[in-house]
């Protein structure tokens, strides 16, 4: 089918077809909120959305590329929307996070180093502790005098209390149920640890959560880089070709919604080097900055000649990168991880490429309120 698309006689660009699609972006504790879930054979690598979430948008599909010099082909406009619904929980999501060995080991190493440097009087806050209170217990084991662990989900908070008690730290770890931006602590703390990073890094509200926590909970006077773990998170993005694009198209447009792929999936081919979609610095000022909440970025991807010859453009893939401290970085690309690729198809059918091809992308990002929105507008010049 793909060869037929590539080789057939070029046609004039047809009138663009407008349609809409919507899917909801869930947090780590949430299941996907639409009924027509993307469930395919396991060997295709498609998984149900977990941490990150995807969403709604107006999609305009380009027609077949005409055979002429320097053609500019508009692609789909896609809106990825992220939010939280912590009334719904899925224990398997928390288990995946706990069992992500690279993530867990990196956070534990950073916590041990920071607590050891702080001494026996160290106080720690864990935001979004989850049912296993994983980072809170790490801090207690490392020697922190007191640990406060905030959890918004009532069911997760209840399980966290049992977990802490079973671990023998109920006298040093206090579970506080509620939204971290609304609760109060008995005292200011020396260190904040938090892992509320989605597949789209800021999709779980990390900007609001961390900025508020820096302002209200941290002690004054310390070096910012020594007061918070992790120190920074990014979302990376790159144009990709998706192996089963034609198969999804044959099943119907409802299957062209954004979806997620395992981090070790071989079903996408990267057509250019990834670039930064967004960055949030945990150690920045203790007040909101406009760039933290609303930002417009324009990126240009130069597709390699080899990629143009062997691949076609399907859309874009996004994924997070986490800077745990000044020595430890977590990048899921090609590795086993609980984080997934978010794939947004930007064409109804794979778009054949020819060299030289340049993909231009404009990203309008707004995380000032839920739902958080990431609008992707793009075109290809070749």
């Amino acid at each position: 089918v793909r060869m037929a698309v590539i080789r057939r006689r070029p046609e004039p660009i047809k009138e663009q077809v407008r349609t809409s699609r919507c899917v909801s972006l869930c947090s780590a504790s949430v299941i996907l909120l639409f009924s027509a879930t993307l469930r395919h054979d396991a060997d295709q690598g498609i998984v149900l959305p977990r941490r990150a979430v995807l969403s709604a948008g107006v999609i305009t599909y380009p027609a077949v590329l005409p055979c002429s010099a320097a053609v500019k082909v508009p692609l789909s406009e896609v809106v990825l929307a992220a939010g939280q619904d912590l009334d719904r929980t899925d224990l398997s999501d928390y288990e995946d996070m706990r069992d992500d060995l690279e993530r867990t080991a990196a956070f534990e190493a950073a916590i041990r180093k920071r607590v050891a440097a702080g001494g026996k009087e160290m106080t720690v806050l864990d935001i979004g502790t989850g049912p296993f209170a994983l980072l809170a217990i790490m801090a207690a084991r490392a020697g922190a005098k007191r640990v406060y662990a905030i959890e918004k989900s009532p069911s997760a908070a209840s399980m966290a209390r049992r977990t802490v008690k079973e671990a023998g730290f109920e006298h040093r770890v206090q579970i506080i149920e509620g939204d971290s931006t609304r609760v109060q602590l008995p005292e200011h703390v020396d260190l904040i640890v938090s892992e509320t990073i989605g597949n789209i890094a800021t999709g779980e509200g990390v900007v609001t959560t961390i900025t508020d926590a820096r302002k209200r909970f941290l002690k004054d006077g310390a070096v910012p880089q020594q007061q918070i773990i992790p120190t920074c998170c990014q979302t990376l993005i790159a144009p990709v070709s998706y192996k089963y694009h034609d198969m999804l198209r044959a099943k119907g447009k409802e299957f062209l919604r954004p979806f997620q792929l395992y981090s070790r999936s071989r079903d996408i081919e990267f057509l250019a080097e990834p670039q930064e979609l967004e960055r949030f610095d945990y150690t920045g000022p203790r007040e909101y900055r406009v760039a933290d909440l609303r930002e417009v970025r324009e990126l240009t991807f130069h597709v390699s000649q080899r990629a143009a010859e062997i691949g076609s453009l399907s859309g874009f893939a996004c994924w997070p990168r986490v800077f745990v401290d000044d020595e430890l970085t977590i990048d899921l690309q090609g590795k086993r991880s609980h984080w997934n690729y978010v794939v947004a198809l930007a064409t109804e059918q794979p778009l054949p490429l020819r060299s030289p091809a340049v993909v231009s992308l404009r990203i309008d990002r707004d995380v000032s309120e839920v739902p958080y929105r990431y609008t992707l507008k793009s075109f290809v010049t070749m």
Side-chain angles (χ1 to χ4, degrees), residues 176-289:
I176 300 174
E177 182 180 322
D179 188 322
S180 69
T181 62
R182 298 180 181 180
V183 304
Q184 300 293 331
L185 295 184
E187 60 181 323
H188 287 81
V189 298
D190 299 293
L191 174 67
I192 292 175
V193 297
S194 180
E195 200 282 81
T196 54
I197 298 169
N199 295 334
I200 299 175
T202 61
E204 294 186 10
V206 65
V207 174
T208 303
T209 298
I210 296 301
T211 304
D212 173 78
R214 286 190 311 221
K215 183 177 181 180
R216 296 197 301 122
F217 299 143
L218 277 177
K219 291 180 179 179
D220 294 326
V223 178
Q225 287 77 8
Q226 297 176 353
Q227 287 187 300
I228 195 159
I229 297 173
T231 59
C232 180
C233 65
Q234 291 175 305
T235 300
L236 301 179
I237 188 168
V240 297
S241 177
Y242 176 51
K243 182 178 180 180
Y244 297 102
H245 193 157
D246 280 321
M247 181 182 296
L248 294 186
R249 180 173 66 91
K251 291 186 175 183
K253 291 182 179 179
E254 67 272 16
F255 286 89
L256 298 177
R257 294 184 174 101
F259 56 89
Q260 297 182 33
L261 291 177
Y262 292 118
S263 57
R264 298 180 68 179
S265 173
R266 298 182 179 179
D267 295 342
I268 54 174
E269 178 182 350
F270 293 92
L271 302 178
E273 290 297 315
Q275 297 187 42
E276 186 178 88
L277 183 156
E278 62 174 355
R279 170 187 288 260
F280 176 61
D281 182 5
Y282 286 55
T283 64
R286 296 190 182 186
E287 299 289 344
Y288 290 112
R289 298 176 297 183

Side-chain angles (χ1 to χ4, degrees), residues 3 5 7 65 71 135 168 172 187 192 196 218 246 248 279 284 322-323 353:
M3 292 304 295
V5 172
R7 293 178 178 175
L65 178 68
V71 176
L135 304 186
R172 281 200 285 152
E187 60 181 323
I192 292 175
T196 54
L218 277 177
D246 280 321
L248 294 186
R279 170 187 288 260
V322 182
F323 298 87
L353 296 174

Side-chain angles (χ1 to χ4, degrees), residues 19-332:
T19 185
S20 63
R21 60 187 177 182
C22 180
V23 76
S24 174
L25 180 56
C26 312
S27 71
S29 58
V30 193
I31 61 173
L32 189 64
L33 299 182
F34 68 93
S35 59
T37 54
L38 295 171
R39 186 184 296 274
H40 299 277
D41 294 339
D43 59 357
Q44 296 181 24
I46 299 178
V47 298
L48 293 178
R50 288 183 177 175
R51 293 207 61 161
V53 182
L54 319 166
S55 156
V58 175
I59 312 302
T60 57
Y61 295 121
V64 177
L65 178 68
C67 187
S68 59
V71 176
K72 182 177 179 179
V73 182
L75 303 178
S76 307
E77 177 180 314
V78 183
V79 180
L80 304 178
Q84 294 178 311
D85 182 359
L86 294 178
D87 291 332
R88 303 190 181 192
T89 59
D90 187 343
L91 188 60
S92 65
D93 293 338
Y94 293 110
E95 291 172 340
D96 287 343
M97 286 185 273
R98 178 197 62 193
D99 298 338
D100 184 337
L101 299 182
E102 182 180 6
R103 165 195 177 270
T104 299
F107 272 85
E108 184 167 21
I111 290 171
R112 284 182 177 276
K113 181 171 66 175
R114 202 69 55 82
V115 172
K120 297 181 179 180
E121 297 299 312
M122 190 82 164
T123 54
V124 179
L125 169 63
D126 175 17
I127 300 176
T129 197
F132 303 123
L134 190 63
L135 304 186
I137 291 176
M138 286 180 184
R141 284 176 176 162
K145 181 178 179 180
R146 284 182 300 279
V147 182
Y148 303 101
I150 300 176
E151 175 54 51
K152 185 175 182 180
S153 167
S155 59
S158 177
M159 185 172 176
R161 291 188 183 94
R162 295 196 300 270
T163 303
V164 168
K165 185 175 182 180
E166 290 170 0
F169 292 112
E170 67 271 27
H171 299 299
R172 281 200 285 152
V173 178
Q174 178 181 344
I175 304 298
I176 300 174
E177 182 180 322
D179 188 322
S180 69
T181 62
R182 298 180 181 180
V183 304
Q184 300 293 331
L185 295 184
E187 60 181 323
H188 287 81
V189 298
D190 299 293
L191 174 67
I192 292 175
V193 297
S194 180
E195 200 282 81
T196 54
I197 298 169
N199 295 334
I200 299 175
T202 61
E204 294 186 10
V206 65
V207 174
T208 303
T209 298
I210 296 301
T211 304
D212 173 78
R214 286 190 311 221
K215 183 177 181 180
R216 296 197 301 122
F217 299 143
L218 277 177
K219 291 180 179 179
D220 294 326
V223 178
Q225 287 77 8
Q226 297 176 353
Q227 287 187 300
I228 195 159
I229 297 173
T231 59
C232 180
C233 65
Q234 291 175 305
T235 300
L236 301 179
I237 188 168
V240 297
S241 177
Y242 176 51
K243 182 178 180 180
Y244 297 102
H245 193 157
D246 280 321
M247 181 182 296
L248 294 186
R249 180 173 66 91
K251 291 186 175 183
K253 291 182 179 179
E254 67 272 16
F255 286 89
L256 298 177
R257 294 184 174 101
F259 56 89
Q260 297 182 33
L261 291 177
Y262 292 118
S263 57
R264 298 180 68 179
S265 173
R266 298 182 179 179
D267 295 342
I268 54 174
E269 178 182 350
F270 293 92
L271 302 178
E273 290 297 315
Q275 297 187 42
E276 186 178 88
L277 183 156
E278 62 174 355
R279 170 187 288 260
F280 176 61
D281 182 5
Y282 286 55
T283 64
R286 296 190 182 186
E287 299 289 344
Y288 290 112
R289 298 176 297 183
V290 173
D292 288 336
L293 301 175
R294 297 184 183 90
E295 183 182 22
V296 176
R297 290 200 181 195
E298 294 185 354
L299 306 178
T300 301
F301 300 92
H302 294 274
V303 178
S304 69
Q305 181 175 351
R306 179 179 178 276
E309 290 174 350
I310 67 175
S312 55
L313 178 66
S314 294
F316 299 92
C318 309
W319 65 95
R321 176 188 287 166
V322 182
F323 298 87
V324 182
D325 60 15
D326 56 357
E327 297 178 350
L328 297 170
T329 302
I330 303 172
D331 190 343
L332 68 86

